[in-house]
């Protein structure tokens, strides 16, 4: 933002966030924005990220991963909202998957990206129902990603997640929200990361 317009930023934000029934997020706050977030009562929903190697998680034999598409029979096992998320994010270049674990269909969306100055390929978890579901399907997802030359995944979290084979990095990729309900740490659906690749 141009320096001459910066004084208007807080006034604009204050006007936008008046609705109490809407959840607002800031998934890439700059240091100056962090102070502004706190002034407007935004709260953390992710205090860091876990870098993990899903291939190291165990995988029961019958588990499998399917790429989501409208005609896939397993889509009927998901909610209308989850089907919408999978199909829309596939159209935006994400990996939209259904993990069938212990007979249960679990939706998962990953965004391929590169970290460490573009040197290391990885996948950012954009959507999962919960960290527990991610742990449950990590092994089979790891094998699916290995066939695509991917080893590393990132997921937002407030701390280490038991069952994920990796390391928690506090204060990396912190994310804030304001509204009636906190986004789950594995939910970056329709955010700037997906839409603009940031």
């Amino acid at each position: 933002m141009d320096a001459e317009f910066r004084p208007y930023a807080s006034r604009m934000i204050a006007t936008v966030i008046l609705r109490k029934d809407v959840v607002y997020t800031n998934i890439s706050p700059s240091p100056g924005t962090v102070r502004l977030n706190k002034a407007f009562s935004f709260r953390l929903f992710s205090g860091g990220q876990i870098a993990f190697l899903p291939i190291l998680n165990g995988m029961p034999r019958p588990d499998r991963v399917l790429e989501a598409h409208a005609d896939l029979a397993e889509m009927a096992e998901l909610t209308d909202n989850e089907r919408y998320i999978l199909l829309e994010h596939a159209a935006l270049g994400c990996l939209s998957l259904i993990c069938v674990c212990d007979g249960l269909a679990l939706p998962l969306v990953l965004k391929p990206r590169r970290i460490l100055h573009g040197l290391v390929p990885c996948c950012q978890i954009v959507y999962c129902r919960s960290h527990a579901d991610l742990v449950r399907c990590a092994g089979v997802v790891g094998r699916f990603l290995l066939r695509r030359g991917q080893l590393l995944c990132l997921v937002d979290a407030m701390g280490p997640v038991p069952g994920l084979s990796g390391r928690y990095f506090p204060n990396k990729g912190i994310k804030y929200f304001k509204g009636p309900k906190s986004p789950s740490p594995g939910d970056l659906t329709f955010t700037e990361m997906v839409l603009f690749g940031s």
Side-chain angles (χ1 to χ4, degrees), residues 61-78:
R61 283 266 174 231
D63 288 1
R64 56 202 168 100
V65 171
L66 307 165
E67 291 194 60
H69 58 81
D71 299 327
L72 190 66
E74 286 78 4
M75 292 286 273
E77 299 179 43
L78 307 178

Side-chain angles (χ1 to χ4, degrees), residues 154-167:
L154 302 174
V155 66
D156 296 322
M158 289 300 286
V161 172
L164 285 183
S165 301
R167 180 178 167 197

